[in-house]
């Protein structure tokens, strides 16, 4: 069964707007990672946030983690058409397993 | 480095045939993972290796699936015999160190179609 569940399943926004995707998980984690997958391609790592961190930034990406609520969010600011992709959260469980959620499909319209 | 390299990119085979998927991890990476992606089940971890040794194969769906890593630069995932429900995209990924400490690098995947 999947550990993480993303919300929403799909998101359509205009270029320049911000996009927020949420992820909830079930069990204790060591870290949480976000990946992007362009259509027909492999997954690309975006950002890793450890269980003792609350917020992390990378360029136009901002990730938050709330371990008490077992949830994380990914914010993409000033979105571009090139950000159109599927975004997955993945939880690194003790035992060295990286378990992925179902993903959010983001479409940025130009 | 060229990244994680998978071959073939596409494979179409008939039910009952043996299928072998190949993966070359990033040089120096000591962990290798095999995932399967389908619309219905998403990304599933099948098996992972550490220093060429299989550590956890609990995600391998059936005895028809087997994986090997004969050396640090090569791994195979074999399905014998293949069935239509095995149709999926299979990804190989590698990491430098345990995934609890670092990220995984994915290959481009092999799209398998079993007819």
């Amino acid at each position: 069964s999947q550990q993480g569940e993303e919300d929403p399943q799909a998101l359509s926004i205009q270029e320049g707007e911000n996009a927020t995707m949420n992820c909830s998980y079930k069990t204790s984690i060591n870290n949480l990672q976000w990946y992007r997958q362009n259509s027909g391609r492999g997954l690309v790592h975006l950002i890793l946030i450890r269980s003792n961190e609350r917020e992390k930034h990378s360029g136009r990406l901002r990730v938050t983690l709330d371990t008490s609520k077992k949830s994380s969010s990914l914010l993409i600011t000033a979105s571009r058409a090139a950000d159109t992709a599927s975004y997955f959260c993945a939880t690194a469980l003790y035992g060295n397993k990286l378990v992925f959620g179902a993903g959010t499909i983001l479409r940025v319209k130009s | 480095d060229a990244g994680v390299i998978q071959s073939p990119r596409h494979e179409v085979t008939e039910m009952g045939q043996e299928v072998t998927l190949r993966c070359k991890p990033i040089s120096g990476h000591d962990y290798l993972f095999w995932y399967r992606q389908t619309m219905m089940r998403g990304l599933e971890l099948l098996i992972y290796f550490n220093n060429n040794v299989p550590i956890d194969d609990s995600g391998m769906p059936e005895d028809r699936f087997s994986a090997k890593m004969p050396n640090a630069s090569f791994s195979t995932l074999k399905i014998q015999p293949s069935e239509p429900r095995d149709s999926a995209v299979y990804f190989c990924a590698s990491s430098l160190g345990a995934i609890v400490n670092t990220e995984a690098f994915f290959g481009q995947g092999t799209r398998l179609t079993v007819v």
Side-chain angles (χ1 to χ4, degrees), chain A residues 4 6 14 16 18 22 27 35 37 41 43 45 51 54 58 60 66 74 77 84 86 89 96-97 101 103-104 108:
Chain A
E6 282 93 340
Q14 290 293 136
N18 296 342
N22 302 297
T27 63
Y35 288 78
Q37 183 179 33
R41 308 295 295 271
L43 285 83
H45 179 262
S51 60
R54 291 297 166 258
S58 177
R60 293 184 295 113
D66 187 335
L74 170 67
T77 60
T84 295
S86 293
C89 71
N96 205 49
K97 290 187 177 183
T104 292
V108 181

Side-chain angles (χ1 to χ4, degrees), chain A residues 1-2 30-31 33 35 37 40-45 48 50 88 91-102, chain B residues 9 31 33 35 37 40-43 45 48 56 58 91 97-109 111:
Chain A
S1 64
Q2 292 172 340
N30 184 280
N31 69 57
Q33 304 182 24
Y35 288 78
Q37 183 179 33
R41 308 295 295 271
L43 285 83
V44 175
H45 179 262
L48 180 155
R50 301 190 186 283
F88 296 88
T91 47
L93 308 179
Y94 296 96
N96 205 49
K97 290 187 177 183
L98 190 63
V99 180
F100 286 82
Chain B
R9 289 294 311 277
Y31 284 83
F33 307 84
Y35 283 86
Q37 185 177 36
M40 290 295 295
R41 301 175 68 89
L43 276 154
L45 176 63
Y48 78 89
D56 189 330
S58 59
F91 288 101
I99 208 66
V100 293
N101 296 316
T102 188
E103 71 266 34
F105 292 81
F106 280 76
Q108 294 298 301
R111 181 174 295 276

Side-chain angles (χ1 to χ4, degrees), chain B residues 83-110:
Chain B
E83 296 182 3
R85 59 195 168 116
D86 302 330
S87 297
V89 181
Y90 291 81
F91 288 101
C92 175
S94 68
S95 66
L96 179 61
I99 208 66
V100 293
N101 296 316
T102 188
E103 71 266 34
F105 292 81
F106 280 76
Q108 294 298 301
T110 295

Side-chain angles (χ1 to χ4, degrees), chain B residues 48-113:
Chain B
Y48 78 89
F49 295 82
N50 177 217
N51 291 324
N52 314 337
V53 176
I55 302 300
D56 189 330
D57 65 353
S58 59
M60 296 286 262
E62 299 172 34
D63 290 345
R64 298 184 296 105
F65 286 70
S66 62
K68 294 181 179 180
M69 192 165 186
N71 58 62
S73 58
F74 184 66
S75 177
T76 60
L77 179 67
K78 185 177 293 186
I79 308 172
Q80 166 63 14
S82 58
E83 296 182 3
R85 59 195 168 116
D86 302 330
S87 297
V89 181
Y90 291 81
F91 288 101
C92 175
S94 68
S95 66
L96 179 61
I99 208 66
V100 293
N101 296 316
T102 188
E103 71 266 34
F105 292 81
F106 280 76
Q108 294 298 301
T110 295
R111 181 174 295 276
L112 173 65
T113 303

